[in-house]
Amino acid sequence: MNAIEIDNLTKFYGKVKGVENLSFNVGENQIVGFVGKNGAGKSTTIRTLLNFIFPTSGTAKIFGMDSKKESKKIKAITSYLPGEVNYYENMKVRDLLNYAEAFLPDKDKKYKEELLEYFELDPNRNISDLSLGNRKKVGIIVCLLKKAKLIILDEPTSGLDPLMQKKFFHKLLEEKKKGATIFLSSHNLTDVEQYCDRVEIIRDGAIVKSLSMKNIQKERKLRISYKEKGKKPISYLLKGDINTVTKELATKELEYLEIKYQSIEEEFEKYYKGEK
């Protein structure tokens, strides 16, 4: 069974298109990235999937359950972190977590303390005193407290510093080992490349490509960048044999040379632009 099944999902806001005839699946026990430009339809898809907004047509299912007809059952096994988190400003972090925990059937106070320590968050501070990054940590902890079967994250690393982003994804890998499925939208393509099993690329409200990250990493081309003395820099993707190129470069008077695999941003950019 797939964790997520979306079939011909369409959502219009009046005459404005959110998504149209959107179809894709997310397998169980995977980390799947959902990427695209701002306004591509990522948040619309997630909100429709969670029954926060209603589709114009089409269906969305979580573990075989219809998002509209079985929303209550879905919410019992799903955690969601929105792109922007807003909480009661006058509450302390610990009070807010206790409040969130009160809605859970199984409470694990030890796990809550472990998450606070792991994400380096002071539970005695007021929400109003927290930075953007620490507010995001509160949202992440609330999301993880549920120990959900499906974790849906909308731009989860915005506001987190690079070290905390790395810790966050290591925590997601732990959740995956426990059997969770993680579906996340992100603009951070480096994280998507490093931690996701698959990626769904959305443009103008439709999926333009579904990719295995392993295949992308295998198929990426080498980028050759160099500068000869007194000439302009040159950069291109290798199409021939690397040995032929290096022999040719060895005859030049170089000031700079770099040979590396093309960035994941370059790979995705062509889909953003509609290239093949």
Side-chain angles (χ1 to χ4, degrees):
M1 180 185 294
N2 288 315
I4 295 174
E5 294 179 9
I6 292 180
D7 186 26
N8 290 317
L9 186 68
T10 297
K11 174 62 181 179
F12 275 82
Y13 302 94
K15 294 182 179 180
V16 179
K17 179 177 69 175
V19 296
E20 187 172 19
N21 297 325
L22 186 72
S23 297
F24 68 91
N25 298 326
V26 173
E28 286 190 76
N29 199 216
Q30 292 184 337
I31 301 179
V32 175
F34 193 38
V35 303
K37 291 181 178 179
N38 289 333
K42 300 188 298 296
S43 293
T44 293
T45 303
I46 289 172
R47 290 167 185 164
T48 307
L49 183 63
L50 292 169
N51 201 39
F52 296 154
I53 56 177
F54 302 135
T56 304
S57 62
T59 60
K61 294 181 179 180
I62 290 179
F63 294 109
M65 296 180 286
D66 186 270
S67 64
K68 288 175 63 178
K69 298 176 182 177
E70 300 173 276
S71 178
K72 188 175 181 180
K73 291 181 181 178
I74 286 173
K75 287 181 172 62
I77 60 170
T78 305
S79 275
Y80 167 61
L81 177 68
E84 296 182 8
V85 291
N86 295 290
Y87 294 120
Y88 301 107
E89 295 285 317
N90 61 339
M91 292 183 75
K92 291 185 182 297
V93 171
R94 185 177 298 282
D95 293 334
L96 191 141
L97 294 180
N98 289 341
Y99 177 68
E101 189 180 46
F103 290 91
L104 303 178
D106 299 314
K107 300 170 182 58
D108 189 340
K109 296 188 182 298
K110 182 180 178 182
Y111 185 53
K112 179 175 61 181
E113 297 302 323
E114 288 174 357
L115 289 173
L116 282 166
E117 182 178 355
Y118 184 85
F119 287 105
E120 302 170 25
L121 188 61
D122 183 353
N124 297 311
R125 294 188 65 185
N126 279 347
I127 298 297
S128 59
D129 296 332
L130 298 181
S131 65
L132 175 63
N134 281 326
R135 285 173 184 249
K136 181 56 68 77
K137 291 179 189 178
V138 174
I140 290 170
I141 292 174
V142 169
C143 188
L144 294 177
L145 272 177
K146 195 173 185 178
K147 300 180 180 179
K149 192 174 180 182
L150 173 64
I151 301 171
I152 299 178
L153 309 162
D154 196 351
E155 297 295 342
T157 59
S158 61
L160 299 181
D161 63 63
L163 290 177
M164 189 52 65
Q165 288 181 29
K166 189 173 183 179
K167 289 188 72 173
F168 166 72
F169 275 102
H170 284 174
K171 180 59 69 175
L172 291 189
L173 290 175
E174 289 180 12
E175 295 302 312
K176 178 187 172 184
K177 286 181 180 179
K178 295 175 186 176
T181 301
I182 296 110
F183 182 63
L184 64 96
S185 75
S186 178
H187 287 297
N188 192 327
L189 300 181
T190 302
D191 286 339
V192 169
E193 175 188 23
Q194 189 170 358
Y195 299 106
C196 289
D197 301 298
R198 296 192 59 79
V199 61
E200 301 290 339
I201 303 174
I202 185 170
R203 178 169 57 85
D204 296 330
I207 297 294
V208 293
K209 196 71 176 179
S210 176
L211 298 167
S212 161
M213 293 311 303
K214 286 184 179 180
N215 289 342
I216 288 178
Q217 290 162 355
K218 288 178 182 178
E219 295 171 4
R220 274 192 298 171
K221 297 177 181 178
L222 287 171
R223 175 167 289 282
I224 313 294
S225 302
Y226 67 90
K227 183 183 182 303
E228 291 184 75
K229 188 175 182 179
K231 296 183 181 181
K232 293 182 178 180
I234 292 176
S235 182
Y236 62 92
L237 292 177
L238 178 66
K239 293 183 179 179
D241 178 51
I242 184 65
N243 295 299
T244 302
V245 172
T246 53
K247 287 178 182 178
E248 180 185 345
L249 290 172
T251 66
K252 301 179 183 294
E253 190 175 358
L254 299 176
E255 292 183 341
Y256 167 85
L257 171 64
E258 183 179 61
I259 301 175
K260 64 179 183 179
Y261 284 105
Q262 68 181 127
S263 68
I264 197 70
E265 286 84 358
E266 288 180 284
E267 178 67 23
F268 286 173
E269 187 177 1
K270 63 184 180 183
Y271 297 114
Y272 287 179
K273 292 180 177 179
E275 301 173 9
K276 295 183 179 179

